[in-house]
């Protein structure tokens, strides 16, 4: 809940490329809830301010979730479905079972096949994952961040909603906040650069 302090501590230790990920679990001891969002939003704002302070002082750092390319960014295919699970990549267990990604390992209904036998046999699942993009996810239809988030993590959607087509709502809220912070940061950096140009 106080991850901004962790980011600032890592910066003090000399790290210049930092990423921290929110916990996504149903375990009540660790899970993030809707009531936690205001505090988490505040933490992202603290990191955003630290990001700007470091940039303005000539000691910039990278925070993974604020690295959003507003002008170019990923290709359209990645904007529609950022997660390549079951289509662009897979996970294979030591026993040879093939899953859409490491987070589905152990869920028998998502075994695509086995590398020691006939390879991928569940073309229906491959098709299901290929169709799990923002135009087919109802929650994404009117979300302003859909082309930056690309529909979220399929495994999180399945874990919380039992359906890869229904994004995990807390993850959606956090993603929107990170993009909002990134937009703010980039606007401030652009203003700073313009001011510097004017002084030259």
């Amino acid at each position: 809940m106080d991850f901004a302090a962790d980011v600032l501590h890592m910066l003090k230790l000399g790290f210049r490329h930092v990423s921290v990920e929110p916990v996504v679990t149903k375990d009540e001891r660790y899970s993030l809830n809707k009531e936690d969002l205001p505090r988490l939003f505040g933490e992202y704002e603290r990191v955003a301010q630290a990001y700007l302070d470091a940039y303005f002082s000539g000691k910039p750092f990278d925070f993974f979730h604020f690295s959003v390319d507003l002008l170019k960014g990923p290709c359209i295919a990645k904007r529609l479905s950022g997660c390549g699970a079951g289509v662009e990549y897979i996970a294979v267990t030591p026993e040879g079972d093939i899953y859409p990604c490491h987070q589905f390992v152990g869920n028998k209904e998502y075994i695509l096949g086995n590398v020691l036998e006939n390879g991928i046999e569940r073309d229906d699942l491959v098709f299901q994952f290929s169709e799990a993009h923002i135009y087919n996810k109802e929650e994404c239809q009117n979300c302003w961040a859909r082309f930056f988030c690309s529909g979220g993590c399929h495994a999180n959607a399945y874990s919380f909603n039992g359906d890869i087509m229904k994004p995990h709502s807390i993850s959606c809220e956090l993603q929107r906040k990170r993009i909002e912070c990134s937009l703010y940061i980039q606007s401030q950096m652009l203003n700073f650069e313009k001011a510097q140009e004017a002084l030259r």
Side-chain angles (χ1 to χ4, degrees):
M1 293 293 289
D2 59 349
F3 66 87
D6 297 327
V7 172
L8 296 175
H9 179 68
M10 285 187 271
L11 294 174
K12 283 181 186 172
L13 293 175
F15 292 95
R16 305 319 297 166
H17 303 278
V18 181
S19 178
V20 293
E21 300 293 327
V23 173
V24 181
T25 179
K26 285 187 168 182
D27 186 328
E28 291 180 7
R29 295 171 299 168
Y30 306 110
S31 63
L32 302 174
N33 302 299
K34 198 162 191 161
E35 300 78 42
D36 300 324
L37 288 174
R39 182 172 178 191
L40 294 168
F41 291 170
E43 292 292 297
Y44 280 116
E45 289 169 5
R46 281 185 64 201
V47 175
Q49 190 57 56
Y51 190 104
L52 284 171
D53 292 344
Y55 176 78
F56 295 147
S57 68
K59 298 177 182 175
F61 69 91
D62 292 321
F63 182 69
F64 175 77
H65 290 295
F66 294 164
S67 297
V68 177
D69 189 336
L70 299 176
L71 300 177
K72 296 178 184 172
C75 64
I76 191 65
K78 280 292 179 193
R79 286 185 182 269
L80 299 182
S81 181
C83 178
V87 181
E88 295 177 349
Y89 62 82
I90 55 173
V92 180
T93 67
E95 297 75 32
D97 289 332
I98 306 168
Y99 289 90
C101 87
H102 65 283
Q103 293 190 77
F104 283 96
V105 170
N107 187 330
K108 300 296 183 192
E109 75 177 277
Y110 278 96
I111 294 179
L112 299 172
N114 188 288
V115 295
L116 304 174
E117 296 169 10
N118 297 320
I120 293 178
E121 297 181 291
R122 294 288 311 275
D123 290 334
D124 60 316
L125 282 178
V126 173
F127 179 76
Q128 183 181 350
F129 278 89
S130 72
E131 291 295 295
H133 54 74
I134 59 173
Y135 288 119
N136 288 337
K137 293 183 178 184
E138 188 176 336
E139 285 84 353
C140 298
Q141 295 299 305
N142 297 311
C143 176
W144 64 267
R146 65 187 175 276
F147 291 109
F148 292 104
C149 133
S150 309
C153 171
H154 301 324
N156 291 347
Y158 179 79
S159 293
F160 283 85
N161 300 318
D163 186 346
I164 66 170
M165 302 299 283
K166 294 184 179 178
H168 175 235
S169 62
I170 300 294
S171 294
C172 292
E173 294 282 357
L174 294 176
Q175 181 71 347
R176 281 190 286 267
K177 184 61 181 181
R178 292 190 295 253
I179 295 168
E180 177 187 300
C181 287
S182 182
L183 292 168
Y184 171 72
I185 286 167
Q186 292 189 43
S187 70
Q188 295 303 301
M189 288 167 62
L190 186 60
N191 288 340
F192 179 76
E193 288 168 13
K194 285 183 177 176
Q196 295 295 99
E197 283 279 326
L199 293 174
R200 289 187 189 130

